[in-house]
Amino acid sequence: MPAQSIWTLLSWGPDGWLDDIAYGALITVALALATLPIGLTIGFFIALAKQSEESSLRLAANIYTTVFRGLPELVTLFLFFFGMPILLQHLVRYFRPDATIDVNSFVAGMIVLALIFSSYASEVFLSAFRAIPKGQYEGGYAIGLSNWLTMRKVIVPQLLRIAFPGLENCWLSLLKDTSLVSVVGLAETLRNASIAARVTKHAFLFFGVASLVFLGLAVLSSFATGAILRSLGRWEAQR
Amino acid sequence: MRIALRIALAASAALLTLGVAQAQEKTLRIGTEGAYPPFNNLTADGQLVGFDIDIAKALCDEMKVKCTFVAQDWDGIIPALQAGKFDAIVASMSITPERLEKVDFSHKYYNTPSALAVPKDSTLKGVTKEDLAGKTIGVATTTTHFNYASKTYTDSTVKGYPSSPEEQADLANGRLDAIEDDIVVLQQWLDSPDGACCKILGQPSPQPVEIFGPGAGIAVRKGETDLVNKLNTAIDAIRANGKYKEINDKYFKFDVYGAES
Amino acid sequence: MSATATMVERPPPQARGWPRRRIAGYALVCLWILFGAGIVSYLVIAWNADFFAKYAPAYLRGLGVTLALVSISMVLGAMLSVPVAYGRMSSNRILSGLAYCYVYFFRGTPLLVQTYLVYYGLGSFRVELQSVGLWDFFKDAFNCGVFAFSLNTAAYQAEILRGAIESVPRGQWEGAASLGLHKLQTLRKIILPQALIVALRPYGNELILMVKASAIVAIITVYDLMGNAKLAFANSFDIQAYIWVALVYLVMVEILRHGVEWIERRITVHLKR
């Protein structure tokens, strides 16, 4: 390979790797954003189950968080990425012998990250639930709101406000955890950076660029969360 | 127990039906590594190139099917085939008895020997177990070279790498005393500026066929005899019509096919 | 605690019959039982004495490497976290700025990237490192892992330390000062004992996170627990390689978690009334 200057390596286009890494950054963001709503929803319901009076629900939720907070992210990812398609294959073969099934690395990554994110987010939601006094529920019931309406109109708005800082931390972890999916071949930031490092042998340069991308995403997120918090504040003040 | 297992499978599968895609019948999806130049490699614009890729394209033309390529890390390439992420592996994969338990293979499409490379100033004289005692040898994991090294060089430390470029980088920067790999791959690297540090030490001998196999073949899922037959016919056809030689000469100055089987 | 907290609330009456949430709860628990039974039966069906004989010793060795890596990194990180936390709380703009950047970098980027940067990245600076005599250290993959992990956990531990010290009310400092204790004495005798109670749980969490994160050194050729699992999987293509390793990690994390809770109960005995 001819010796190339750093600027050629970092250029945009067929000779440079910048476009590949930028594309990877896009995948990183897409993966994190796709995981977020699923993780938040599961996490919320896990928290609900954990503070339920029904002990079987609490047990099921506790097993969930114990498992997914106890397993290293990498192990969970490998188990899902390699184990799940084989399981599914066996299953589908019962009905349609010639079908093949593919769980691509984006979906596998999304599921695994959602499992991990939700088990951490559920802890945040749970402590937020505990911070809301019982009187809020009773007030809701007293003015004749149903269980569901009390939850939606009275509890959830307060809950989000209290849980926000904790969820912000979960989001930052999620953003960083997306890099693990590179190990199973999703062409996100880190994977494209390591392909570049491998081909060009400029490891420090490209891993440095990858870390700058993640740093940039973290800075962007803190701007975004700041803006959300401000608008939440305004929205509350208007009411 | 079996029923319980099936129900458990059904339950966990229900969680996962999302994102499941039915494979297209007409295109053949080919998995390769993309970190094994000159056989397969990735370029800056994301293209897969190399001998394996050209051979695969020639075979697809011959079989009159449309082919798409998927890059997959080496140590997960057989599980990914089994998991249906692609239908065939064209990635310089040696036909070994262990692999034959998991997948089916076409006939070989090339066969090149294994060799060891060392830094130019190395004091190592030979490639026997005694020569390398106490040394650190880097090899890409899940390869025939790795199996050979871990069985033979039992007095050395054998370190597993995800792919060849990493082991080459660590030989160049002095973390390793030697690396074992395919001689063509080593030579390609030694001829590049990055490989200026190092030289070929020699080829282990003998190279037992139970470890190295008869050569590199195309792997498909077990029981896909149809596809294997088609691939074999296509390999014979491109060998006969000169297409193979054309690709061979594009990359090598000698015939990589090895002895006629 | 005030008297109102001691007033025992009557627990809500247990719902009788089969309300919807109980059905859901039982269904989910059954799902977990089936899942567990599925895994156990898989391990029984796929029981392979050869596999066990071949890889169990390797797993044990890997466990040793994992534990060594985590404990060395935690201790080094703890030592390094003290100056960083000091910098973070310092009123000197430059010092606190530097400490802030350090913490932001190591918390803002994935540990995987940091590990790659140290192992493969520093590999390209061999000549420079050799001239200052550091190459012998970075030659070894385990050392690179320890280096990256220590720097990373130092950033997190500095934040834990800072949070804990700042959680102790200012009055405690003032009180100690009025008794004539100087700053270091105050820190050691008054502030730290209170701060450590607050910090115990976050420290425990950080330890657990490190145990889990240590799995990534497998990617830089260290044969830790995960590294051996990867090797076993690569050689056997048998998913039980990962199931076993998952069980080991799960047990390890649970022991740590309950250990931290036990210690917390012990040292907060005086706070319970």
Side-chain angles (χ1 to χ4, degrees), chain B residues 154-235:
Chain B
T154 42
D155 295 335
S156 322
T157 313
V158 175
K159 280 179 66 173
Y161 283 81
S163 70
S164 299
E166 280 94 353
E167 112 216 344
Q168 292 159 359
D170 270 4
L171 181 68
N173 66 32
R175 281 197 180 116
L176 297 170
D177 299 309
I179 57 175
E180 180 174 351
D181 212 329
D182 187 289
I183 193 162
V184 177
V185 173
L186 286 178
Q187 197 57 55
Q188 165 99 5
W189 172 62
L190 293 176
D191 291 343
S192 76
D194 301 310
C197 60
C198 305
K199 62 175 186 194
I200 298 266
L201 177 66
Q203 298 178 14
S205 163
Q207 301 200 357
V209 80
E210 7 6 313
I211 293 181
F212 287 102
I218 297 165
V220 302
R221 279 181 292 275
K222 264 214 148 341
E224 303 211 344
T225 329
D226 238 24
L227 185 54
V228 171
N229 290 338
K230 273 195 217 158
L231 285 166
N232 284 338
T233 318
I235 292 174

Coordinates of all heavy atoms in Angstrom, one line a residue, chain B residues 154-235:
Chain B
T154 N 3.6 -26.6 21.9 CA 3.0 -26.7 23.2 C 4.0 -26.0 24.3 O 3.5 -25.8 25.4 CB 2.8 -28.1 23.6 OG1 3.8 -28.9 23.2 CG2 1.5 -28.6 23.0
D155 N 5.2 -25.8 23.9 CA 6.1 -25.1 24.9 C 6.1 -23.6 24.6 O 6.9 -22.9 25.3 CB 7.5 -25.7 24.7 CG 7.6 -27.1 25.2 OD1 6.7 -27.5 26.0 OD2 8.5 -27.8 24.7
S156 N 5.4 -23.1 23.7 CA 5.3 -21.7 23.4 C 4.0 -21.1 23.9 O 3.0 -21.9 24.1 CB 5.5 -21.4 21.9 OG 6.4 -22.3 21.3
T157 N 3.9 -19.8 23.9 CA 2.6 -19.2 24.2 C 1.9 -18.9 22.8 O 2.5 -18.1 22.0 CB 2.8 -17.8 24.9 OG1 3.7 -18.1 26.0 CG2 1.5 -17.3 25.5
V158 N 0.8 -19.4 22.6 CA 0.1 -19.2 21.4 C -1.1 -18.2 21.6 O -1.9 -18.5 22.5 CB -0.5 -20.5 20.8 CG1 -1.3 -20.2 19.5 CG2 0.6 -21.4 20.4
K159 N -1.0 -17.0 21.0 CA -2.0 -16.0 21.3 C -3.0 -15.9 20.1 O -2.5 -15.9 18.9 CB -1.3 -14.6 21.5 CG -0.8 -14.5 22.9 CD -0.1 -13.1 23.1 CE -1.0 -12.0 23.0 NZ -0.4 -10.7 23.3
G160 N -4.2 -15.9 20.4 CA -5.2 -15.9 19.3 C -5.7 -14.5 19.0 O -5.9 -13.6 19.9
Y161 N -5.7 -14.2 17.7 CA -6.1 -12.8 17.2 C -7.4 -13.0 16.4 O -7.7 -14.0 15.8 CB -5.0 -12.2 16.3 CG -3.9 -11.7 17.2 CD1 -2.9 -12.6 17.7 CD2 -3.8 -10.4 17.5 CE1 -1.9 -12.1 18.5 CE2 -2.8 -9.9 18.3 CZ -1.8 -10.7 18.7 OH -0.8 -10.2 19.5
P162 N -8.2 -11.9 16.4 CA -9.5 -11.9 15.6 C -9.2 -12.1 14.1 O -10.0 -12.7 13.4 CB -10.2 -10.6 16.0 CG -9.2 -9.8 16.6 CD -8.1 -10.7 17.2
S163 N -8.2 -11.5 13.6 CA -7.9 -11.7 12.2 C -6.4 -11.5 11.9 O -5.7 -11.0 12.8 CB -8.7 -10.7 11.3 OG -8.3 -9.4 11.5
S164 N -6.0 -11.7 10.7 CA -4.6 -11.6 10.3 C -3.9 -10.2 10.5 O -2.8 -10.2 11.0 CB -4.4 -12.1 8.9 OG -4.8 -13.5 8.8
P165 N -4.6 -9.2 10.1 CA -3.9 -7.8 10.2 C -3.5 -7.5 11.6 O -2.4 -6.9 11.8 CB -5.0 -6.9 9.7 CG -5.8 -7.6 8.7 CD -5.8 -9.0 9.3
E166 N -4.3 -7.9 12.6 CA -3.9 -7.6 14.0 C -2.7 -8.4 14.4 O -1.8 -7.8 15.1 CB -5.1 -8.0 15.0 CG -6.2 -7.0 15.1 CD -7.3 -7.3 14.1 OE1 -7.1 -8.2 13.3 OE2 -8.3 -6.6 14.2
E167 N -2.6 -9.6 14.0 CA -1.4 -10.4 14.4 C -0.2 -9.9 13.7 O 0.9 -9.8 14.2 CB -1.6 -11.9 14.1 CG -0.8 -12.6 13.0 CD -1.6 -13.6 12.2 OE1 -2.7 -14.0 12.7 OE2 -1.2 -14.0 11.1
Q168 N -0.4 -9.4 12.4 CA 0.8 -8.8 11.7 C 1.3 -7.5 12.4 O 2.5 -7.3 12.5 CB 0.4 -8.5 10.2 CG 0.1 -9.8 9.4 CD -0.8 -9.5 8.2 OE1 -1.2 -8.4 8.0 NE2 -1.1 -10.5 7.4
A169 N 0.3 -6.7 12.8 CA 0.7 -5.5 13.5 C 1.5 -5.8 14.7 O 2.5 -5.1 15.1 CB -0.6 -4.6 13.8
D170 N 1.0 -6.8 15.5 CA 1.7 -7.1 16.7 C 3.1 -7.8 16.5 O 4.0 -7.7 17.4 CB 0.8 -8.0 17.6 CG 0.0 -7.1 18.5 OD1 0.0 -5.9 18.4 OD2 -0.7 -7.7 19.4
L171 N 3.3 -8.4 15.4 CA 4.6 -8.9 15.0 C 5.5 -7.7 14.7 O 6.7 -7.6 15.2 CB 4.6 -9.9 13.9 CG 5.9 -10.5 13.5 CD1 6.4 -11.4 14.6 CD2 5.9 -11.3 12.2
A172 N 5.0 -6.8 13.9 CA 5.7 -5.6 13.5 C 6.2 -4.8 14.7 O 7.3 -4.3 14.8 CB 5.0 -4.8 12.5
N173 N 5.3 -4.6 15.7 CA 5.7 -3.8 16.8 C 6.3 -4.6 18.0 O 6.6 -4.0 19.0 CB 4.5 -2.9 17.3 CG 3.4 -3.8 17.9 OD1 3.6 -4.8 18.5 ND2 2.2 -3.4 17.8
G174 N 6.6 -5.8 17.7 CA 7.5 -6.5 18.7 C 6.7 -7.2 19.8 O 7.3 -7.7 20.8
R175 N 5.4 -7.3 19.8 CA 4.7 -8.0 20.8 C 4.8 -9.5 20.7 O 4.6 -10.3 21.6 CB 3.2 -7.6 20.8 CG 2.9 -6.3 21.5 CD 1.4 -6.2 21.8 NE 1.2 -4.9 22.5 CZ 0.4 -3.9 21.9 NH1 -0.2 -4.2 20.8 NH2 0.2 -2.8 22.6
L176 N 5.1 -9.9 19.4 CA 5.2 -11.3 19.1 C 6.5 -11.7 18.6 O 7.3 -10.9 18.0 CB 4.1 -11.7 18.1 CG 2.7 -11.5 18.4 CD1 1.8 -11.6 17.2 CD2 2.2 -12.5 19.5
D177 N 6.9 -13.0 18.8 CA 8.2 -13.5 18.3 C 8.0 -14.1 16.9 O 8.9 -14.1 16.1 CB 8.8 -14.5 19.2 CG 9.1 -14.0 20.6 OD1 9.7 -12.9 20.6 OD2 8.6 -14.5 21.6
A178 N 6.8 -14.6 16.6 CA 6.5 -15.2 15.3 C 5.0 -15.2 15.1 O 4.3 -15.1 16.0 CB 7.1 -16.6 15.3
I179 N 4.6 -15.3 13.8 CA 3.2 -15.5 13.5 C 3.1 -16.6 12.5 O 4.1 -16.9 11.7 CB 2.5 -14.2 12.9 CG1 3.2 -13.7 11.7 CG2 2.4 -13.2 14.0 CD1 2.5 -12.6 11.0
E180 N 2.0 -17.4 12.6 CA 1.8 -18.4 11.6 C 0.6 -18.1 10.8 O -0.5 -17.7 11.4 CB 1.6 -19.8 12.3 CG 1.4 -20.9 11.3 CD 1.4 -22.3 11.9 OE1 1.7 -22.5 13.0 OE2 1.0 -23.2 11.1
D181 N 0.7 -18.2 9.5 CA -0.5 -17.9 8.6 C -0.3 -18.6 7.3 O 0.8 -19.2 7.0 CB -0.6 -16.4 8.5 CG -2.1 -16.0 8.3 OD1 -2.9 -16.8 7.8 OD2 -2.4 -14.9 8.8
D182 N -1.2 -18.3 6.4 CA -1.1 -18.8 5.0 C 0.1 -18.1 4.4 O 0.3 -16.9 4.5 CB -2.4 -18.5 4.2 CG -2.4 -19.1 2.9 OD1 -1.6 -18.6 2.0 OD2 -3.1 -20.1 2.7
I183 N 0.9 -18.9 3.6 CA 2.1 -18.3 3.1 C 1.8 -17.1 2.1 O 2.6 -16.1 2.0 CB 3.0 -19.4 2.4 CG1 4.4 -18.8 2.1 CG2 2.4 -19.9 1.1 CD1 5.5 -19.8 1.9
V184 N 0.7 -17.2 1.3 CA 0.4 -16.2 0.4 C 0.0 -14.9 1.1 O 0.4 -13.8 0.7 CB -0.8 -16.7 -0.5 CG1 -1.2 -15.6 -1.5 CG2 -0.3 -17.9 -1.3
V185 N -0.7 -15.1 2.2 CA -1.2 -13.9 3.0 C 0.1 -13.2 3.6 O 0.2 -12.0 3.6 CB -2.2 -14.4 4.0 CG1 -2.5 -13.2 5.0 CG2 -3.4 -14.9 3.4
L186 N 1.0 -14.1 4.1 CA 2.2 -13.5 4.7 C 3.0 -12.8 3.7 O 3.5 -11.7 3.9 CB 3.0 -14.7 5.4 CG 2.5 -15.2 6.7 CD1 3.4 -16.4 7.1 CD2 2.4 -14.2 7.7
Q187 N 3.2 -13.4 2.5 CA 4.0 -12.8 1.5 C 3.4 -11.5 1.0 O 4.2 -10.5 0.9 CB 4.1 -13.8 0.3 CG 5.3 -13.5 -0.6 CD 6.6 -13.4 0.2 OE1 7.0 -14.4 0.8 NE2 7.4 -12.3 0.1
Q188 N 2.1 -11.4 0.9 CA 1.5 -10.2 0.5 C 1.8 -9.0 1.5 O 2.1 -7.9 1.1 CB 0.0 -10.4 0.4 CG -0.8 -9.1 0.3 CD -1.3 -8.8 -1.1 OE1 -1.0 -9.5 -2.0 NE2 -1.9 -7.6 -1.3
W189 N 1.8 -9.4 2.7 CA 2.0 -8.4 3.8 C 3.5 -8.0 3.8 O 3.9 -6.9 3.9 CB 1.6 -9.0 5.1 CG 2.0 -8.1 6.3 CD1 1.6 -6.8 6.5 CD2 2.9 -8.5 7.4 NE1 2.2 -6.4 7.7 CE2 2.9 -7.4 8.2 CE3 3.6 -9.6 7.7 CZ2 3.7 -7.4 9.4 CZ3 4.3 -9.7 8.8 CH2 4.4 -8.6 9.7
L190 N 4.4 -9.0 3.7 CA 5.8 -8.8 3.7 C 6.2 -7.9 2.5 O 7.2 -7.1 2.6 CB 6.6 -10.1 3.6 CG 6.4 -11.0 4.9 CD1 7.2 -12.3 4.7 CD2 7.0 -10.3 6.1
D191 N 5.5 -8.0 1.4 CA 5.9 -7.2 0.2 C 5.4 -5.7 0.4 O 5.8 -4.9 -0.4 CB 5.3 -7.8 -1.0 CG 6.0 -9.1 -1.4 OD1 7.1 -9.3 -0.9 OD2 5.4 -9.9 -2.1
S192 N 4.5 -5.5 1.3 CA 4.0 -4.1 1.5 C 4.9 -3.4 2.5 O 5.7 -4.0 3.2 CB 2.5 -4.2 2.1 OG 2.6 -4.5 3.5
P193 N 4.8 -2.0 2.5 CA 5.7 -1.3 3.4 C 5.6 -1.7 4.9 O 6.6 -1.7 5.6 CB 5.2 0.2 3.2 CG 4.4 0.2 2.0 CD 3.9 -1.2 1.7
D194 N 4.3 -2.1 5.3 CA 4.1 -2.4 6.7 C 4.9 -3.7 7.0 O 5.2 -3.9 8.2 CB 2.7 -2.7 7.0 CG 1.9 -1.4 6.7 OD1 2.3 -0.3 7.2 OD2 0.9 -1.5 6.0
G195 N 5.1 -4.6 6.0 CA 5.8 -5.8 6.3 C 7.3 -5.8 6.2 O 7.9 -6.8 6.2
A196 N 7.8 -4.6 6.0 CA 9.3 -4.4 5.8 C 10.1 -4.9 7.0 O 11.3 -5.2 6.8 CB 9.6 -3.0 5.5
C197 N 9.4 -5.0 8.1 CA 10.1 -5.4 9.4 C 10.5 -6.9 9.4 O 11.4 -7.3 10.1 CB 9.2 -5.2 10.5 SG 7.7 -6.2 10.4
C198 N 9.8 -7.7 8.5 CA 9.8 -9.1 8.8 C 10.1 -10.0 7.6 O 10.2 -9.5 6.5 CB 8.4 -9.5 9.4 SG 8.0 -8.5 10.8
K199 N 10.3 -11.2 7.9 CA 10.6 -12.2 6.8 C 9.9 -13.5 7.1 O 9.5 -13.8 8.2 CB 12.1 -12.3 6.7 CG 12.7 -12.9 8.0 CD 14.1 -13.2 8.0 CE 14.6 -13.9 9.3 NZ 16.0 -14.0 9.6
I200 N 9.9 -14.4 6.1 CA 9.4 -15.7 6.2 C 10.5 -16.5 6.9 O 11.7 -16.5 6.5 CB 9.1 -16.3 4.9 CG1 8.0 -15.6 4.2 CG2 8.7 -17.8 5.0 CD1 6.6 -16.0 4.4
L201 N 10.1 -17.3 8.0 CA 11.1 -18.1 8.6 C 11.1 -19.5 8.0 O 12.2 -20.1 7.8 CB 10.7 -18.2 10.1 CG 11.5 -19.2 11.0 CD1 12.9 -18.6 11.1 CD2 10.9 -19.3 12.4
G202 N 10.0 -20.0 7.6 CA 9.9 -21.3 7.0 C 8.5 -21.9 7.1 O 7.6 -21.3 7.7
Q203 N 8.4 -23.1 6.5 CA 7.1 -23.8 6.5 C 7.2 -25.0 7.4 O 8.1 -25.7 7.3 CB 6.7 -24.2 5.1 CG 6.6 -23.1 4.1 CD 6.3 -23.6 2.7 OE1 5.9 -24.8 2.5 NE2 6.4 -22.8 1.7
P204 N 6.2 -25.1 8.3 CA 6.2 -26.3 9.1 C 6.1 -27.6 8.2 O 5.5 -27.5 7.2 CB 5.0 -26.2 10.0 CG 4.5 -24.8 9.9 CD 5.1 -24.3 8.6
S205 N 6.8 -28.6 8.6 CA 6.8 -29.8 7.8 C 6.9 -31.0 8.6 O 7.7 -31.0 9.6 CB 7.9 -29.7 6.8 OG 8.2 -31.0 6.3
P206 N 6.0 -32.0 8.5 CA 5.0 -32.1 7.5 C 3.8 -31.3 7.9 O 3.7 -30.9 9.1 CB 4.6 -33.6 7.5 CG 4.9 -34.0 8.9 CD 6.0 -33.2 9.3
Q207 N 2.9 -31.0 6.9 CA 1.6 -30.3 7.3 C 0.5 -31.3 7.2 O 0.0 -31.5 6.1 CB 1.4 -29.1 6.3 CG 2.6 -28.1 6.4 CD 2.3 -26.7 5.9 OE1 1.2 -26.4 5.4 NE2 3.2 -25.8 6.1
P208 N 0.2 -31.9 8.3 CA -0.8 -33.0 8.3 C -2.1 -32.6 7.7 O -2.7 -31.6 8.1 CB -0.9 -33.4 9.7 CG -0.3 -32.3 10.5 CD 0.6 -31.5 9.7
V209 N -2.7 -33.5 6.9 CA -3.9 -33.2 6.2 C -5.1 -33.2 7.2 O -6.1 -32.6 7.0 CB -4.1 -34.1 5.0 CG1 -4.6 -35.5 5.4 CG2 -5.0 -33.4 3.9
E210 N -4.9 -34.0 8.3 CA -6.1 -34.0 9.3 C -6.2 -32.6 9.9 O -7.3 -32.3 10.4 CB -6.0 -35.0 10.3 CG -5.0 -36.0 10.8 CD -3.6 -36.1 10.3 OE1 -3.4 -36.1 9.1 OE2 -2.8 -36.3 11.1
I211 N -5.1 -31.8 10.0 CA -5.3 -30.5 10.5 C -5.6 -29.4 9.4 O -6.5 -28.6 9.5 CB -4.0 -30.1 11.3 CG1 -3.9 -30.9 12.5 CG2 -4.1 -28.6 11.7 CD1 -2.7 -30.6 13.4
F212 N -4.8 -29.5 8.4 CA -4.9 -28.4 7.3 C -5.9 -28.7 6.3 O -6.4 -27.8 5.6 CB -3.5 -28.2 6.7 CG -2.6 -27.5 7.6 CD1 -1.6 -28.2 8.2 CD2 -2.7 -26.1 7.8 CE1 -0.7 -27.5 9.1 CE2 -1.8 -25.5 8.7 CZ -0.8 -26.2 9.3
G213 N -6.3 -30.0 6.2 CA -7.3 -30.3 5.2 C -6.7 -30.3 3.8 O -5.6 -29.9 3.6
P214 N -7.5 -30.7 2.8 CA -7.0 -30.7 1.4 C -7.0 -29.4 0.7 O -6.6 -29.3 -0.5 CB -8.0 -31.7 0.7 CG -9.3 -31.5 1.5 CD -8.9 -31.2 2.9
G215 N -7.4 -28.3 1.4 CA -7.4 -27.0 0.7 C -8.6 -26.2 1.1 O -9.4 -26.6 2.0
A216 N -8.8 -25.0 0.5 CA -9.9 -24.2 0.9 C -11.1 -24.5 0.0 O -11.0 -24.7 -1.2 CB -9.6 -22.7 0.7
G217 N -12.3 -24.7 0.7 CA -13.5 -25.0 -0.1 C -14.6 -24.0 0.3 O -14.4 -23.0 1.0
I218 N -15.8 -24.2 -0.3 CA -16.9 -23.3 -0.1 C -17.8 -24.0 0.9 O -18.2 -25.1 0.6 CB -17.6 -22.9 -1.4 CG1 -16.7 -22.2 -2.3 CG2 -18.9 -22.1 -1.1 CD1 -17.1 -22.1 -3.7
A219 N -18.1 -23.4 2.0 CA -18.9 -24.0 3.1 C -20.4 -23.7 2.9 O -20.7 -22.5 2.6 CB -18.4 -23.6 4.4
V220 N -21.3 -24.7 3.0 CA -22.7 -24.4 3.0 C -23.3 -25.1 4.2 O -22.6 -26.0 4.8 CB -23.4 -24.9 1.7 CG1 -22.8 -24.2 0.5 CG2 -23.3 -26.4 1.6
R221 N -24.6 -24.8 4.5 CA -25.2 -25.5 5.7 C -25.3 -27.0 5.4 O -25.4 -27.4 4.2 CB -26.6 -24.9 5.9 CG -26.6 -23.7 6.7 CD -28.0 -23.2 7.0 NE -28.6 -22.7 5.8 CZ -28.4 -21.5 5.3 NH1 -27.7 -20.6 5.9 NH2 -29.0 -21.1 4.2
K222 N -25.3 -27.8 6.4 CA -25.3 -29.2 6.3 C -26.6 -29.7 5.5 O -27.7 -29.1 5.8 CB -25.3 -29.9 7.7 CG -24.0 -30.3 8.1 CD -24.0 -31.6 8.9 CE -22.8 -32.5 8.8 NZ -22.0 -32.3 7.6
G223 N -26.4 -30.6 4.7 CA -27.6 -31.2 4.0 C -28.0 -30.5 2.7 O -28.9 -30.9 2.0
E224 N -27.3 -29.4 2.3 CA -27.6 -28.7 1.1 C -26.8 -29.3 -0.1 O -26.0 -28.6 -0.7 CB -27.4 -27.2 1.3 CG -28.2 -26.6 2.5 CD -28.6 -25.2 2.3 OE1 -28.1 -24.5 1.4 OE2 -29.5 -24.8 3.1
T225 N -27.1 -30.5 -0.3 CA -26.3 -31.3 -1.3 C -26.5 -30.6 -2.7 O -25.5 -30.6 -3.5 CB -26.8 -32.7 -1.4 OG1 -27.3 -33.0 -0.1 CG2 -25.7 -33.7 -1.8
D226 N -27.7 -30.1 -3.0 CA -27.9 -29.5 -4.2 C -27.0 -28.4 -4.6 O -26.4 -28.3 -5.6 CB -29.4 -28.9 -4.2 CG -30.2 -29.4 -5.3 OD1 -29.9 -30.6 -5.7 OD2 -31.2 -28.8 -5.7
L227 N -26.8 -27.5 -3.6 CA -25.9 -26.3 -3.7 C -24.5 -26.8 -3.9 O -23.7 -26.3 -4.7 CB -26.1 -25.4 -2.5 CG -25.4 -24.1 -2.5 CD1 -25.7 -23.3 -3.8 CD2 -25.7 -23.3 -1.3
V228 N -24.1 -27.8 -3.1 CA -22.7 -28.3 -3.2 C -22.5 -28.8 -4.6 O -21.4 -28.5 -5.2 CB -22.5 -29.5 -2.1 CG1 -21.2 -30.1 -2.4 CG2 -22.5 -28.9 -0.7
N229 N -23.4 -29.6 -5.1 CA -23.2 -30.2 -6.5 C -23.1 -29.1 -7.5 O -22.2 -29.1 -8.4 CB -24.4 -31.1 -6.8 CG -24.3 -32.4 -6.0 OD1 -23.3 -32.7 -5.5 ND2 -25.5 -33.0 -5.9
K230 N -23.9 -28.1 -7.4 CA -23.9 -26.9 -8.3 C -22.5 -26.2 -8.2 O -21.9 -25.9 -9.2 CB -25.0 -25.9 -8.0 CG -26.3 -26.2 -8.7 CD -27.2 -25.0 -8.6 CE -28.6 -25.4 -8.4 NZ -29.4 -24.3 -7.8
L231 N -22.1 -26.0 -7.0 CA -20.8 -25.3 -6.8 C -19.6 -26.2 -7.4 O -18.8 -25.6 -8.1 CB -20.5 -25.1 -5.3 CG -21.4 -24.0 -4.7 CD1 -21.3 -24.0 -3.2 CD2 -20.9 -22.6 -5.2
N232 N -19.7 -27.5 -7.2 CA -18.6 -28.3 -7.7 C -18.6 -28.3 -9.2 O -17.5 -28.2 -9.8 CB -18.8 -29.8 -7.2 CG -18.4 -29.9 -5.8 OD1 -17.6 -29.1 -5.3 ND2 -18.9 -31.0 -5.1
T233 N -19.8 -28.4 -9.8 CA -19.8 -28.3 -11.3 C -19.2 -27.0 -11.8 O -18.5 -26.9 -12.7 CB -21.3 -28.4 -11.8 OG1 -21.9 -29.4 -11.0 CG2 -21.4 -28.7 -13.2
A234 N -19.6 -25.9 -11.0 CA -19.2 -24.6 -11.4 C -17.6 -24.4 -11.3 O -17.0 -23.8 -12.1 CB -19.9 -23.5 -10.6
I235 N -17.1 -25.0 -10.2 CA -15.6 -24.9 -10.0 C -14.9 -25.7 -11.1 O -14.0 -25.1 -11.7 CB -15.2 -25.6 -8.6 CG1 -15.7 -24.7 -7.5 CG2 -13.7 -25.7 -8.5 CD1 -15.5 -25.3 -6.1

